[in-house]
């Protein structure tokens, strides 16, 4: 309630202020001044009205505002180094007259800029791209609003060279999500995922996003830890004048809505865990290093306390059956700029919030395989595969998204600006998975049910400033930028419950399945992950004139980052002390089988009917730390008119350490918290074989690197509005914490298990880029680009089937080398003032040399020790495409304007990605490929006036089937690995601007 009261007070203040502004009889003139040479806003320009003896100066955005009585005025625009300009402006009472000026142009022109030049429109972003030092692509709020997309993950797939994996992880130029970094408001943000380095983009609601830019070439002022691209998300900023918007929407999915729905009580309205999902207080009162299991007369926890604790866990195991509701969404934004003094002191405020909930059902089929070969697995053409396990699963998924941003900007005087940008988001997934499958190792059919709730929370706060420093000269002032950032990401997965029944494969269908009776049947799983980032950055820019008087700048600075991440999971289960009973028959629910009284009732032997205990066998926790200090220097100088060089170098000093352990052994002095320091690979192998060092380095991954990364970018405007770009850069990517942590877990029976590798090394990349760009005015644009990347030690996820288990293992490993070559095409054009056509496509070829043929042959012959890092796994193919990379990706957008004002539009959106490796095979198992698919969306939008608009969207209208397959070489046929459909989704939304 306190929060609601504060919002009401804030809204009242905004409304009162705006009414007082409109009540004034004065009008105003405002606008933006930009430099024609570099497209940058001109700071410190003077705007003078001599007849009124009034003046104003532009801010860092090149913006100015000057209040004047109604009338006609001669306005002068002045700035050192530029020719003065004059305008005649008519000011009306209570209205703002817009006047934008371009300095340095031979022919004076006016550039139309709306709403503080917030870089939200397609035209504004193209102008930013035109003058950018890097090869980049972007999408702004204008296009986002027209699209059917509801969050950043859906938005970015429409940018040239971008594909998505898992619906939320971005691939840039064919490189996996681990090769890209995500920044929010120019700050590195932590990840909510315990097993990925990238931030899931579904955390960012579309209604709060100002723009998303994909930086594809490296410049020294940016982080060097990317190779595919740097994803920069910017949230909306305060408007020039009072604005308040509200939006509502409803959605329907053909697979789901009003059909059978399975769910359970978990998560609150916003998607956060509720108190009844947390570990019981009696369990939390016991230290984590002491497993919650019955002790003995020699020590441990009193068995009666364990039995009592077992009764305090939630007793719900069976989901509720109902009908699936409609999707719903809501968003609200309010903002204003308060002019505090006539001298230019002002305060800008923007608050935005959004909430949505989607319900999705899909039927998914999975098959996992083991390889076979009548001669030798090395003879690929003779390899066949046979099912290891099969699963047919019904998955009921409820997704909630709650996002908020509060941005403040304060200018105490002209040339001095402070800002505070806050973002808080909650994304949750509540799922019920009911599956039927076969275990072909133990030869039984199984029936399983899994209830899972995952809540991801991201908080990010950036406080910084931009300051003009005039050293007494009449030249352009120096600029100091600084920013402090705190980011925290949390992931909670409380009380994942599983039930499993089985019956022999050879038994008739009338045979009633019985309880599996051991892990994972009757298990509970709790996990938490916390990732914290603290960083500080500073940059100082010195403008100067090049030898021919062309404007140049030199920038230098540095940053410091500390990152801490921890992950723990705790698994609980029970065993029966009374043997098989009728309660073990399918489908007797867990509410009866695991009735709390069963842990208190005793049988004839004096034991409780069931014994409760915590399972701590494999590593179930890791702690990680990273310290990264960076320094850079960068020069931006025209070598001659229209030919610009942007380059320099960045130095990065990084230290990473990950310690993986079993909670009960975290204080065991026999298991030191450091790895084996060895002088050579031969020495390490010897120590491992003599049980002095562990093969996984005692669960410790440690990397210290110091790198100098050069960058050279050239931009040549050889014709008006046409650029040629060339760049050569060196970048890197480091293993993430989870990739270095050797622990594994599967979230459901028969699921895949991913295990980290503490022996990973960083990847080093040489990047070459060339692009031709033609800016045809407004939002019209054409470009052709080519690129080449050479990667040393690329990191990939590879498969490792384990004998005797139906859950395949996957791990991370360094290949030897990889190369990527690609062509990108982008075209956007409006025709006949009625149609708009946009398309972007890219073609990519990649080649990964996993290891040399000599290494592979030696390893197969048994000459090379399998412990040797150069043969850390047994690849099925030593040369193949890069994992996750599609040879061809295309986006198409076609808009038809149904009226001259372009307020009613029908849009067709199409996104296609080609075949790509889903997971890399090992030990003879073939690579699994995801079949390429094309998704078609249709959007109808109608704007009634400046206040009210409607949108109707249909997504995936052809209901494409997603399919992953493996190739059986011996039989020359494709065999199913996974398949599912997502259904057709329809949505209607309306927005109103007050």
């Amino acid at each position: 309630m306190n929060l609601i009261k504060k919002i009401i007070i804030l809204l009242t203040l905004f409304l009162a202020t705006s009414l007082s502004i409109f009540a004034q009889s004065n009008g105003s003139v405002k606008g933006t001044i930009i430099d024609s040479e570099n497209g940058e806003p001109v700071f410190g320009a003077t705007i003078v009205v001599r007849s009124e003896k009034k003046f104003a100066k532009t801010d860092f955005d090149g913006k100015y505002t000057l209040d004047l009585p109604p009338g006609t005025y001669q306005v002068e625009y002045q700035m050192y180094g530029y020719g003065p300009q004059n305008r005649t402006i008519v000011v009306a009472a209570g209205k703002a007259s817009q006047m934008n000026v371009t300095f340095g142009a031979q022919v004076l022109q006016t550039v139309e800029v709306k709403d503080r030049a917030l870089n939200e429109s397609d035209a504004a972003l193209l102008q930013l791209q035109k003058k950018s030092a890097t090869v980049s692509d972007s999408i702004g709020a204008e296009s986002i609003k027209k699209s059917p997309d509801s969050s950043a993950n859906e938005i970015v797939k429409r940018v040239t060279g971008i594909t998505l994996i898992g619906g939320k992880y971005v691939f840039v130029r064919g490189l996996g999500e681990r090769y890209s970094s995500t920044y929010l408001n120019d700050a590195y943000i932590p990840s909510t995922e315990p097993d990925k380095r990238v931030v899931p983009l579904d955390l960012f609601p579309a209604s709060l996003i100002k723009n998303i830019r994909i930086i594809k070439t490296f410049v020294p002022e940016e982080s060097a830890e990317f190779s595919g691209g740097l994803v920069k998300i910017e949230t909306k900023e305060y408007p020039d004048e009072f604005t308040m918007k509200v939006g509502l929407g409803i959605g329907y999915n053909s697979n789901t809505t009003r059909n059978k729905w399975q769910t359970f009580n978990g998560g609150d309205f916003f998607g956060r865990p509720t108190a009844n999902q947390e570990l019981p207080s009696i369990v939390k009162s016991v230290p984590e290093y002491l497993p919650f299991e019955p002790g003995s007369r020699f020590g441990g926890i009193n068995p009666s306390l364990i039995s009592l604790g077992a009764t305090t866990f939630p007793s719900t195991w069976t989901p509720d059956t109902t009908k699936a509701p409609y999707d719903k969404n809501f968003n609200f934004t309010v903002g204003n700029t308060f002019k505090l003094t006539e001298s230019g002191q002002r305060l800008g405020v923007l608050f935005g919030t959004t909430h949505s909930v989607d319900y999705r059902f899909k039927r998914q089929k999975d098959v996992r395989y083991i390889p076979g070969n009548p001669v030798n697995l090395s003879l690929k053409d003779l390899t066949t595969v046979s099912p290891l396990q099969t699963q047919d699963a019904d998955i009921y998924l409820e997704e909630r998204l709650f996002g908020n941003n509060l941005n403040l900007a304060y200018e105490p005087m002209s040339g001095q600006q402070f800002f505070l940008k806050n973002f808080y988001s909650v994304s949750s997934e509540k799922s019920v998975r009911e599956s039927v499958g076969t275990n072909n190792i133990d030869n039984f059919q199984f029936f399983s049910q899994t209830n899972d709730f995952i809540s991801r929370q991201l908080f990010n706060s950036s406080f910084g400033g931009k300051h003009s420093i005039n050293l007494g000269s009449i030249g352009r002032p120096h600029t100091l930028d600084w920013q402090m950032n705190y980011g925290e990401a949390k992931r909670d997965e409380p009380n994942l419950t599983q039930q499993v029944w089985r019956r022999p494969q050879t038994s008739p269908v009338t045979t009633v399945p019985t309880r599996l009776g051991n892990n994972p049947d009757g298990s509970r799983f709790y996990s938490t992950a916390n990732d914290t980032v603290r960083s500080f950055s500073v940059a100082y820019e010195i403008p100067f004139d090049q030898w021919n008087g062309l404007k140049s700048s030199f920038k230098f600075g540095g940053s410091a980052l500390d990152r801490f991440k921890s992950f723990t999971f705790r698994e609980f289960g029970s065993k029966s002390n009374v043997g098989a009973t009728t309660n073990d028959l399918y489908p007797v629910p867990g509410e009866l089988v695991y009735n709390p009284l069963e842990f208190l009732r005793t049988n004839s032997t004096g034991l409780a009917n069931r014994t409760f205990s915590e399972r701590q066998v494999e590593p179930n926790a890791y702690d990680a730390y990273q310290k990264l200090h960076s320094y850079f220097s960068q020069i931006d100088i025209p070598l001659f008119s229209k030919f610009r060089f942007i380059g320099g170098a960045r130095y990065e000093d990084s230290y990473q350490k990950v310690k993986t352990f079993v909670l009960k052994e975290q204080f065991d002095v026999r298991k030191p918290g450091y790895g084996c320091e060895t002088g050579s690979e031969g020495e390490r192998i010897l120590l491992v074989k003599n049980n002095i060092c562990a093969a996984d380095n005692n669960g410790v991954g440690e990397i210290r690197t110091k790198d100098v990364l050069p960058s050279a970018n050239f931009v040549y405007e050889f014709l008006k509005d046409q650029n040629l770009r060339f760049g050569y850069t060196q970048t890197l990517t480091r293993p993430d914490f989870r990739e270095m942590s050797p622990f594994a877990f599967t979230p459901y029976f028969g699921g895949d298990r991913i295990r980290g590798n503490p022996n990973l090394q960083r990847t080093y990349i040489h990047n070459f880029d060339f692009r031709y760009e033609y800016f045809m005015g407004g939002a019209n644009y054409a470009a052709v680009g080519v690129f080449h990347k050479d990667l040393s030690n690329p990191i990939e996820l590879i498969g490792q089937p384990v004998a005797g288990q139906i859950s395949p293992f996957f791990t991370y490993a360094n290949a030897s080398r990889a190369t990527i070559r690609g062509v990108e095409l982008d075209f956007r054009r409006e025709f006949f003032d009625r149609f708009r056509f946009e398309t972007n496509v890219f073609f990519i070829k990649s080649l990964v040399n996993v290891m040399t043929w000599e290494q592979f042959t030696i390893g197969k012959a048994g000459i090379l020790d399998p412990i040797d890092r150069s043969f850390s796994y047994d690849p099925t193919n030593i040369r193949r495409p890069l994992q996750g990379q599609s040879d061809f990706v295309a986006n198409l957008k076609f808009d038809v304007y149904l009226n001259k004002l372009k307020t009613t539009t029908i849009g067709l959106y199409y996104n296609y990605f080609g075949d790509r490796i889903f997971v890399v095979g090992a030990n003879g198992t073939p690579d699994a490929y995801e079949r390429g698919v094309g998704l078609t969306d249709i959007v109808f939008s109608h704007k009634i006036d400046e206040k009210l608009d409607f949108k109707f969207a249909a997504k995936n209208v052809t209901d494409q089937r997603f399919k992953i397959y493996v190739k059986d070489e011996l039989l020359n046929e494709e065999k199913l690995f996974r398949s599912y459909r997502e259904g057709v989704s329809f949505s209607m939304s309306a927005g109103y601007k007050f």
Side-chain angles (χ1 to χ4, degrees), residues 876-902:
T876 299
N877 298 303
I878 62 173
R879 289 167 63 88
R880 52 169 172 75
L882 196 68
Q883 177 205 348
Q885 174 258 308
S886 296
D887 284 350
F888 175 66
V889 175
N891 284 288
L892 182 147
K893 175 186 174 184
F894 184 67
D895 285 331
V896 179
Y897 304 116
L898 301 182
N899 58 5
K900 289 184 177 181
L901 296 177
K902 302 179 182 179

mmCIF file of all heavy atoms in Angstrom, residues 876-902:
data_model
loop_
_atom_site.group_PDB
_atom_site.id
_atom_site.type_symbol
_atom_site.label_atom_id
_atom_site.label_comp_id
_atom_site.label_asym_id
_atom_site.label_seq_id
_atom_site.Cartn_x
_atom_site.Cartn_y
_atom_site.Cartn_z
ATOM 1 N N THR A 876 33.344 -37.046 -32.140
ATOM 2 C CA THR A 876 32.878 -37.862 -33.251
ATOM 3 C C THR A 876 33.409 -37.316 -34.568
ATOM 4 O O THR A 876 33.831 -38.073 -35.445
ATOM 5 C CB THR A 876 31.341 -37.898 -33.269
ATOM 6 O OG1 THR A 876 30.878 -38.477 -32.046
ATOM 7 C CG2 THR A 876 30.829 -38.724 -34.431
ATOM 8 N N ASN A 877 33.387 -35.980 -34.705
ATOM 9 C CA ASN A 877 33.896 -35.336 -35.914
ATOM 10 C C ASN A 877 34.980 -34.340 -35.520
ATOM 11 O O ASN A 877 34.765 -33.499 -34.648
ATOM 12 C CB ASN A 877 32.758 -34.591 -36.634
ATOM 13 C CG ASN A 877 31.653 -35.523 -37.085
ATOM 14 O OD1 ASN A 877 31.901 -36.469 -37.823
ATOM 15 N ND2 ASN A 877 30.438 -35.268 -36.635
ATOM 16 N N ILE A 878 36.126 -34.427 -36.149
ATOM 17 C CA ILE A 878 37.206 -33.501 -35.812
ATOM 18 C C ILE A 878 37.157 -32.237 -36.662
ATOM 19 O O ILE A 878 37.892 -31.290 -36.401
ATOM 20 C CB ILE A 878 38.588 -34.183 -35.948
ATOM 21 C CG1 ILE A 878 38.847 -34.628 -37.394
ATOM 22 C CG2 ILE A 878 38.704 -35.339 -34.987
ATOM 23 C CD1 ILE A 878 40.261 -35.155 -37.604
ATOM 24 N N ARG A 879 36.285 -32.199 -37.668
ATOM 25 C CA ARG A 879 36.047 -30.992 -38.470
ATOM 26 C C ARG A 879 34.546 -30.892 -38.725
ATOM 27 O O ARG A 879 33.924 -31.841 -39.204
ATOM 28 C CB ARG A 879 36.801 -31.056 -39.809
ATOM 29 C CG ARG A 879 38.301 -30.917 -39.680
ATOM 30 C CD ARG A 879 38.994 -31.312 -40.984
ATOM 31 N NE ARG A 879 38.630 -30.441 -42.079
ATOM 32 C CZ ARG A 879 39.263 -29.300 -42.382
ATOM 33 N NH1 ARG A 879 40.300 -28.922 -41.655
ATOM 34 N NH2 ARG A 879 38.889 -28.560 -43.400
ATOM 35 N N ARG A 880 33.980 -29.752 -38.410
ATOM 36 C CA ARG A 880 32.532 -29.576 -38.530
ATOM 37 C C ARG A 880 32.203 -28.094 -38.402
ATOM 38 O O ARG A 880 33.071 -27.289 -38.048
ATOM 39 C CB ARG A 880 31.810 -30.359 -37.426
ATOM 40 C CG ARG A 880 32.354 -30.045 -36.058
ATOM 41 C CD ARG A 880 31.513 -30.596 -34.931
ATOM 42 N NE ARG A 880 32.191 -30.414 -33.672
ATOM 43 C CZ ARG A 880 32.299 -29.267 -33.018
ATOM 44 N NH1 ARG A 880 31.768 -28.183 -33.557
ATOM 45 N NH2 ARG A 880 32.934 -29.181 -31.867
ATOM 46 N N PRO A 881 30.916 -27.704 -38.633
ATOM 47 C CA PRO A 881 30.511 -26.314 -38.387
ATOM 48 C C PRO A 881 30.500 -26.006 -36.891
ATOM 49 O O PRO A 881 30.477 -26.907 -36.044
ATOM 50 C CB PRO A 881 29.101 -26.244 -38.981
ATOM 51 C CG PRO A 881 29.008 -27.405 -39.905
ATOM 52 C CD PRO A 881 29.885 -28.472 -39.320
ATOM 53 N N LEU A 882 30.482 -24.735 -36.583
ATOM 54 C CA LEU A 882 30.421 -24.286 -35.200
ATOM 55 C C LEU A 882 29.048 -24.588 -34.613
ATOM 56 O O LEU A 882 28.030 -24.437 -35.289
ATOM 57 C CB LEU A 882 30.697 -22.780 -35.138
ATOM 58 C CG LEU A 882 31.052 -22.175 -33.789
ATOM 59 C CD1 LEU A 882 32.415 -22.675 -33.326
ATOM 60 C CD2 LEU A 882 31.070 -20.649 -33.899
ATOM 61 N N GLN A 883 29.019 -25.021 -33.360
ATOM 62 C CA GLN A 883 27.757 -25.330 -32.707
ATOM 63 C C GLN A 883 26.842 -24.108 -32.677
ATOM 64 O O GLN A 883 27.243 -23.004 -32.333
ATOM 65 C CB GLN A 883 28.011 -25.804 -31.277
ATOM 66 C CG GLN A 883 26.739 -26.091 -30.499
ATOM 67 C CD GLN A 883 26.943 -25.963 -29.003
ATOM 68 O OE1 GLN A 883 28.062 -25.869 -28.542
ATOM 69 N NE2 GLN A 883 25.863 -25.951 -28.250
ATOM 70 N N GLY A 884 25.560 -24.299 -33.052
ATOM 71 C CA GLY A 884 24.557 -23.241 -32.985
ATOM 72 C C GLY A 884 24.539 -22.298 -34.165
ATOM 73 O O GLY A 884 23.713 -21.391 -34.202
ATOM 74 N N GLN A 885 25.435 -22.484 -35.135
ATOM 75 C CA GLN A 885 25.541 -21.550 -36.255
ATOM 76 C C GLN A 885 24.724 -22.034 -37.450
ATOM 77 O O GLN A 885 24.897 -23.154 -37.922
ATOM 78 C CB GLN A 885 27.013 -21.372 -36.653
ATOM 79 C CG GLN A 885 27.220 -20.532 -37.901
ATOM 80 C CD GLN A 885 27.525 -21.391 -39.113
ATOM 81 O OE1 GLN A 885 28.410 -22.232 -39.090
ATOM 82 N NE2 GLN A 885 26.772 -21.172 -40.177
ATOM 83 N N SER A 886 23.830 -21.158 -37.919
ATOM 84 C CA SER A 886 23.037 -21.449 -39.117
ATOM 85 C C SER A 886 23.731 -20.871 -40.338
ATOM 86 O O SER A 886 24.247 -19.753 -40.298
ATOM 87 C CB SER A 886 21.637 -20.829 -39.008
ATOM 88 O OG SER A 886 20.908 -21.398 -37.949
ATOM 89 N N ASP A 887 23.735 -21.618 -41.428
ATOM 90 C CA ASP A 887 24.337 -21.118 -42.670
ATOM 91 C C ASP A 887 23.574 -19.925 -43.236
ATOM 92 O O ASP A 887 24.154 -19.062 -43.897
ATOM 93 C CB ASP A 887 24.359 -22.225 -43.730
ATOM 94 C CG ASP A 887 25.448 -23.240 -43.456
ATOM 95 O OD1 ASP A 887 26.290 -22.976 -42.575
ATOM 96 O OD2 ASP A 887 25.454 -24.300 -44.117
ATOM 97 N N PHE A 888 22.278 -19.865 -42.964
ATOM 98 C CA PHE A 888 21.453 -18.821 -43.578
ATOM 99 C C PHE A 888 20.391 -18.381 -42.589
ATOM 100 O O PHE A 888 19.694 -19.204 -41.978
ATOM 101 C CB PHE A 888 20.793 -19.356 -44.855
ATOM 102 C CG PHE A 888 19.824 -18.396 -45.494
ATOM 103 C CD1 PHE A 888 20.265 -17.203 -46.046
ATOM 104 C CD2 PHE A 888 18.472 -18.676 -45.525
ATOM 105 C CE1 PHE A 888 19.372 -16.313 -46.633
ATOM 106 C CE2 PHE A 888 17.567 -17.805 -46.115
ATOM 107 C CZ PHE A 888 18.025 -16.615 -46.672
ATOM 108 N N VAL A 889 20.264 -17.066 -42.416
ATOM 109 C CA VAL A 889 19.228 -16.480 -41.562
ATOM 110 C C VAL A 889 18.627 -15.302 -42.310
ATOM 111 O O VAL A 889 19.348 -14.523 -42.948
ATOM 112 C CB VAL A 889 19.802 -16.011 -40.206
ATOM 113 C CG1 VAL A 889 18.727 -15.285 -39.398
ATOM 114 C CG2 VAL A 889 20.345 -17.189 -39.410
ATOM 115 N N ALA A 890 17.306 -15.161 -42.264
ATOM 116 C CA ALA A 890 16.639 -14.084 -42.990
ATOM 117 C C ALA A 890 15.499 -13.505 -42.171
ATOM 118 O O ALA A 890 14.799 -14.216 -41.440
ATOM 119 C CB ALA A 890 16.101 -14.596 -44.325
ATOM 120 N N ASN A 891 15.320 -12.190 -42.297
ATOM 121 C CA ASN A 891 14.171 -11.487 -41.735
ATOM 122 C C ASN A 891 13.506 -10.686 -42.846
ATOM 123 O O ASN A 891 14.191 -10.080 -43.679
ATOM 124 C CB ASN A 891 14.601 -10.525 -40.626
ATOM 125 C CG ASN A 891 14.932 -11.239 -39.342
ATOM 126 O OD1 ASN A 891 14.050 -11.736 -38.645
ATOM 127 N ND2 ASN A 891 16.224 -11.307 -39.021
ATOM 128 N N LEU A 892 12.192 -10.662 -42.831
ATOM 129 C CA LEU A 892 11.440 -9.897 -43.813
ATOM 130 C C LEU A 892 10.309 -9.175 -43.102
ATOM 131 O O LEU A 892 9.633 -9.749 -42.239
ATOM 132 C CB LEU A 892 10.883 -10.810 -44.899
ATOM 133 C CG LEU A 892 10.104 -10.149 -46.047
ATOM 134 C CD1 LEU A 892 10.315 -10.931 -47.334
ATOM 135 C CD2 LEU A 892 8.592 -10.104 -45.735
ATOM 136 N N LYS A 893 10.136 -7.913 -43.467
ATOM 137 C CA LYS A 893 9.037 -7.119 -42.920
ATOM 138 C C LYS A 893 8.392 -6.349 -44.067
ATOM 139 O O LYS A 893 9.080 -5.678 -44.830
ATOM 140 C CB LYS A 893 9.555 -6.149 -41.858
ATOM 141 C CG LYS A 893 8.500 -5.202 -41.309
ATOM 142 C CD LYS A 893 9.134 -4.192 -40.367
ATOM 143 C CE LYS A 893 8.125 -3.142 -39.923
ATOM 144 N NZ LYS A 893 8.760 -2.096 -39.078
ATOM 145 N N PHE A 894 7.074 -6.453 -44.160
ATOM 146 C CA PHE A 894 6.343 -5.753 -45.224
ATOM 147 C C PHE A 894 5.140 -5.056 -44.602
ATOM 148 O O PHE A 894 4.243 -5.704 -44.051
ATOM 149 C CB PHE A 894 5.897 -6.735 -46.302
ATOM 150 C CG PHE A 894 5.233 -6.070 -47.480
ATOM 151 C CD1 PHE A 894 5.958 -5.249 -48.331
ATOM 152 C CD2 PHE A 894 3.882 -6.260 -47.732
ATOM 153 C CE1 PHE A 894 5.347 -4.637 -49.414
ATOM 154 C CE2 PHE A 894 3.263 -5.657 -48.806
ATOM 155 C CZ PHE A 894 4.008 -4.840 -49.658
ATOM 156 N N ASP A 895 5.132 -3.712 -44.661
ATOM 157 C CA ASP A 895 4.042 -2.909 -44.109
ATOM 158 C C ASP A 895 3.222 -2.302 -45.231
ATOM 159 O O ASP A 895 3.767 -1.817 -46.232
ATOM 160 C CB ASP A 895 4.587 -1.768 -43.248
ATOM 161 C CG ASP A 895 5.102 -2.251 -41.903
ATOM 162 O OD1 ASP A 895 4.577 -3.262 -41.413
ATOM 163 O OD2 ASP A 895 6.016 -1.618 -41.346
ATOM 164 N N VAL A 896 1.918 -2.315 -45.044
ATOM 165 C CA VAL A 896 0.990 -1.640 -45.954
ATOM 166 C C VAL A 896 0.240 -0.591 -45.150
ATOM 167 O O VAL A 896 -0.422 -0.907 -44.152
ATOM 168 C CB VAL A 896 -0.011 -2.636 -46.575
ATOM 169 C CG1 VAL A 896 -0.975 -1.901 -47.504
ATOM 170 C CG2 VAL A 896 0.726 -3.731 -47.325
ATOM 171 N N TYR A 897 0.371 0.684 -45.574
ATOM 172 C CA TYR A 897 -0.326 1.774 -44.911
ATOM 173 C C TYR A 897 -1.707 1.921 -45.545
ATOM 174 O O TYR A 897 -1.837 2.189 -46.747
ATOM 175 C CB TYR A 897 0.463 3.077 -45.044
ATOM 176 C CG TYR A 897 1.880 2.974 -44.527
ATOM 177 C CD1 TYR A 897 2.963 3.119 -45.391
ATOM 178 C CD2 TYR A 897 2.129 2.718 -43.185
ATOM 179 C CE1 TYR A 897 4.262 3.027 -44.929
ATOM 180 C CE2 TYR A 897 3.431 2.613 -42.698
ATOM 181 C CZ TYR A 897 4.489 2.772 -43.580
ATOM 182 O OH TYR A 897 5.764 2.660 -43.112
ATOM 183 N N LEU A 898 -2.740 1.781 -44.741
ATOM 184 C CA LEU A 898 -4.099 1.770 -45.259
ATOM 185 C C LEU A 898 -4.706 3.156 -45.397
ATOM 186 O O LEU A 898 -5.815 3.291 -45.923
ATOM 187 C CB LEU A 898 -4.986 0.900 -44.365
ATOM 188 C CG LEU A 898 -4.524 -0.564 -44.227
ATOM 189 C CD1 LEU A 898 -5.501 -1.339 -43.368
ATOM 190 C CD2 LEU A 898 -4.376 -1.221 -45.595
ATOM 191 N N ASN A 899 -4.011 4.186 -44.911
ATOM 192 C CA ASN A 899 -4.488 5.553 -45.113
ATOM 193 C C ASN A 899 -3.280 6.469 -45.308
ATOM 194 O O ASN A 899 -2.130 6.097 -45.052
ATOM 195 C CB ASN A 899 -5.369 6.022 -43.961
ATOM 196 C CG ASN A 899 -4.638 5.961 -42.623
ATOM 197 O OD1 ASN A 899 -3.462 5.664 -42.560
ATOM 198 N ND2 ASN A 899 -5.355 6.255 -41.559
ATOM 199 N N LYS A 900 -3.535 7.676 -45.786
ATOM 200 C CA LYS A 900 -2.456 8.584 -46.123
ATOM 201 C C LYS A 900 -1.675 9.028 -44.891
ATOM 202 O O LYS A 900 -0.478 9.329 -44.974
ATOM 203 C CB LYS A 900 -3.007 9.803 -46.866
ATOM 204 C CG LYS A 900 -3.492 9.497 -48.282
ATOM 205 C CD LYS A 900 -3.933 10.766 -49.008
ATOM 206 C CE LYS A 900 -4.351 10.452 -50.428
ATOM 207 N NZ LYS A 900 -4.766 11.684 -51.170
ATOM 208 N N LEU A 901 -2.336 9.109 -43.759
ATOM 209 C CA LEU A 901 -1.668 9.533 -42.532
ATOM 210 C C LEU A 901 -0.812 8.422 -41.911
ATOM 211 O O LEU A 901 -0.108 8.659 -40.940
ATOM 212 C CB LEU A 901 -2.709 10.010 -41.510
ATOM 213 C CG LEU A 901 -3.508 11.253 -41.905
ATOM 214 C CD1 LEU A 901 -4.550 11.577 -40.832
ATOM 215 C CD2 LEU A 901 -2.579 12.442 -42.128
ATOM 216 N N LYS A 902 -0.897 7.232 -42.479
ATOM 217 C CA LYS A 902 -0.127 6.071 -42.003
ATOM 218 C C LYS A 902 -0.455 5.714 -40.555
ATOM 219 O O LYS A 902 0.394 5.247 -39.803
ATOM 220 C CB LYS A 902 1.375 6.319 -42.145
ATOM 221 C CG LYS A 902 1.809 6.610 -43.566
ATOM 222 C CD LYS A 902 3.296 6.874 -43.654
ATOM 223 C CE LYS A 902 3.694 7.218 -45.081
ATOM 224 N NZ LYS A 902 5.141 7.513 -45.199
#
